Structure formats: C-alpha cells, structure tokens
Amino acid sequence: MKKLVLNSMLFISLAMASFSYTSCSRHAKANNEPVTAATDIGFPKKEVLNNSVLSAEEQAKLTPDTVLEILKQGNKEFTEDNLTVRNNTERVREAALGQYPKAVVVSCLDSRVPVEDVFHRGIGDIFVARVAGNVVNPDILGSLEYACKVSGSKLIVVLGHEHCGAIKSAIDDVKLGNITTLLSKIRPAVTMASKDYEGDKTSKNKAFVQKVCDDNVKLTMEEIRKNSPILKEMEDKGEIKIVGGVYHMETGRVDFL
Ligand SMILES: [Zn+2]
C-alpha cells in the first residue's frame, strides 16, 4: 500500500515535471523566433538581451584585452543604470549544453558586491570565485586554472572593494575560529601597507583601510603568478591577462589598478 502511494506520487511528480517542461518549450519558440519571459511581462523586445550564451568559437576569438574592455563597458552600463533585460529562462537552457565564460573574477564575499551585476554580465558569461578578502589558496588557484586552462577564459580579475570588513578585521588582527587562518592571508597586505605609512594605521582610518585593500589585490595577483606555474605561463604567452580592480561602494564603479 505504501509502495502504491509512493508510485502514485512519483507519477504525479513526473506528470507535473512533464507539463512544466512542455509549457517552457512552448514558451521558448513561436514562429521560429525566441519568445521571452521578459517580453511576455511587458518589456519591449528590443530591450531584451540577445539570448545567445557565449559559444566555444566566440570565446576563442576573444583576446584578454577585448575581454577587459567588455568588463569595463559592462561596469559603465551598471553605474549608469543602463541595463538590459536578460532572457534568463532561455539562457539557462542554452547554457546547460556547455559553458565558455570569457573571464574569471576572484571577489570578496561581501553581499554589496554582486559580481555579475557589477560587470553587467549574465548566465554563462563569467566564472566567479568568492572568498572573504579576495585571497587565494590551492582550491581557488585550482579553480582559476580550471577556468583558464580547461575552460578557455581569457582574463583573471582580482576584485577588492571599499569598506571591506575582512580587510578591517585583518588590520585589527581579529582572532576567531577559522577566521584567524583566513585573515592570516590578508596580514601580509597590512604589513606592506604599513611600510613607510605616516598616518593612523588602524581600521578607523579610511585611507589606510583603502591602502591595505589595494595592496591586498596586488599581493593576490602576485600569489597567483607565484603559486600557479600554469597561469604564469599562460600570462607570459599572452593567452591570459591577470588584472586587479577595486569596487567603489558609493558609485558602483570598478577602478582597474
Ligand atoms: Zn570584503
């Protein structure tokens, strides 16, 4: 009896899944032209971004400099609120067939820095590795190697940001659980920023916090080159670029170092 009930539930679930898939398929195509959820709810079609997710061929044609320009332009659109409605339901299905992102971003965990939005990118466009203080360890380095060497991304962006809690905690030398180990990876930036610094070297000094943030981005870029011979070689051959940037909280602008 119990088995019968379970079987019936399974059948109902399958039937519902099938119904929902059918509605999606029907939704996606009409007159051989993609019809989007966005247009259906009233956005003019011209304002909806092209459905196309980056293909392997398109990715191969990109250079590191082109990708950097695309991200800079995307950030400009973000700061000007000149955003395009994305056709996510269509892109989700298209991206399911494979991914060929153009860049990989190492960002802080901070909830105020939504990386895809910051560069006005969507599904399948960029890889994002997030960890408090945008530092690297062997796992993050492995992820970057996967993004560039295996998946063909052309650009690594190390993205720090203003008012970073991880940077402030590293300056304050906070000791708490696993946070202690994490902050130890930011401490070299505190040491670097402190050198020859005349002002107040505490987390209350905004200028000092920003200097540590900038130096932390630079040190993370150095760590990548030092601890990943694969990425160093790719950079030396011009196959990828490694750049650093800082996100400004009040404006949403990313300044590349
Ligand atoms: Zn942060």
Side-chain angles (χ1 to χ4, degrees):
M1 181 62 185
K2 202 171 180 182
K3 196 174 175 186
L4 185 68
V5 172
L6 277 173
N7 280 342
S8 306
M9 285 173 68
L10 183 64
F11 175 77
I12 292 166
S13 305
L14 285 172
M16 286 175 72
S18 159
F19 171 75
S20 119
Y21 176 74
T22 309
S23 1
C24 283
S25 304
R26 193 157 46 88
H27 196 64
K29 297 271 177 188
N31 303 326
N32 293 326
E33 212 177 352
V35 175
T36 71
T39 51
D40 284 357
I41 57 170
F43 287 104
K45 189 158 187 183
K46 65 181 174 53
E47 291 178 14
V48 178
L49 196 74
N50 189 309
N51 287 325
S52 165
V53 170
L54 203 65
S55 69
E57 294 74 31
E58 288 163 340
Q59 186 201 48
K61 285 179 195 159
L62 293 169
T63 67
D65 285 327
T66 312
V67 174
L68 182 57
E69 282 313 308
I70 291 170
L71 294 193
K72 282 180 179 175
Q73 178 61 29
N75 179 242
K76 188 168 178 287
E77 289 156 358
F78 171 70
T79 56
E80 292 171 354
D81 222 10
N82 179 20
L83 303 177
T84 317
V85 179
R86 291 188 191 279
N87 185 1
N88 281 338
T89 51
E90 183 73 13
R91 287 168 69 93
V92 163
R93 285 194 292 279
E94 198 183 330
L97 303 173
Q99 60 167 346
Y100 307 96
K102 53 175 77 72
V104 53
V105 182
V106 182
S107 166
C108 181
L109 192 71
D110 200 295
S111 68
R112 299 164 296 176
V113 189
V115 181
E116 281 89 347
D117 291 344
V118 164
F119 293 112
H120 195 199
R121 308 263 58 90
I123 291 161
D125 276 341
I126 54 174
F127 287 107
V128 183
R130 302 193 67 155
V131 57
N134 41 273
V135 291
V136 288
N137 64 10
D139 301 325
I140 301 282
L141 288 174
S143 302
L144 297 180
E145 289 171 2
Y146 174 79
C148 297
K149 192 72 180 177
V150 182
S151 287
S153 291
K154 311 287 181 186
L155 185 74
I156 296 175
V157 181
V158 178
L159 185 65
H161 68 95
E162 277 186 331
H163 313 319
C164 180
I167 297 289
K168 289 178 186 172
S169 300
I171 293 170
D172 293 340
D173 204 14
V174 167
K175 307 280 187 208
L176 180 66
N178 288 294
I179 296 173
T180 307
T181 311
L182 172 62
L183 295 182
S184 71
K185 295 184 171 65
I186 305 174
R187 288 290 301 169
V190 180
T191 306
M192 185 172 159
S194 300
K195 205 176 167 197
D196 302 326
Y197 191 82
E198 298 292 337
D200 175 24
K201 297 175 198 172
T202 71
S203 63
K204 290 186 176 59
N205 180 356
K206 204 177 158 189
F208 183 65
V209 171
Q210 196 50 51
K211 188 165 187 330
V212 177
C213 169
D214 294 353
D215 286 347
N216 185 52
V217 168
K218 290 173 196 159
L219 285 180
T220 298
M221 290 163 64
E222 279 179 28
E223 285 284 308
I224 294 170
R225 294 181 178 117
K226 192 171 78 184
N227 294 322
S228 172
I230 288 178
L231 296 172
K232 174 79 170 69
E233 187 187 17
M234 288 185 83
E235 189 189 32
D236 290 345
K237 285 182 176 172
E239 294 168 356
I240 62 165
K241 267 195 173 172
I242 303 170
V243 299
V246 174
Y247 176 83
H248 294 274
M249 285 293 190
E250 284 84 6
T251 61
R253 194 183 71 242
V254 172
D255 282 338
F256 287 90
L257 303 177

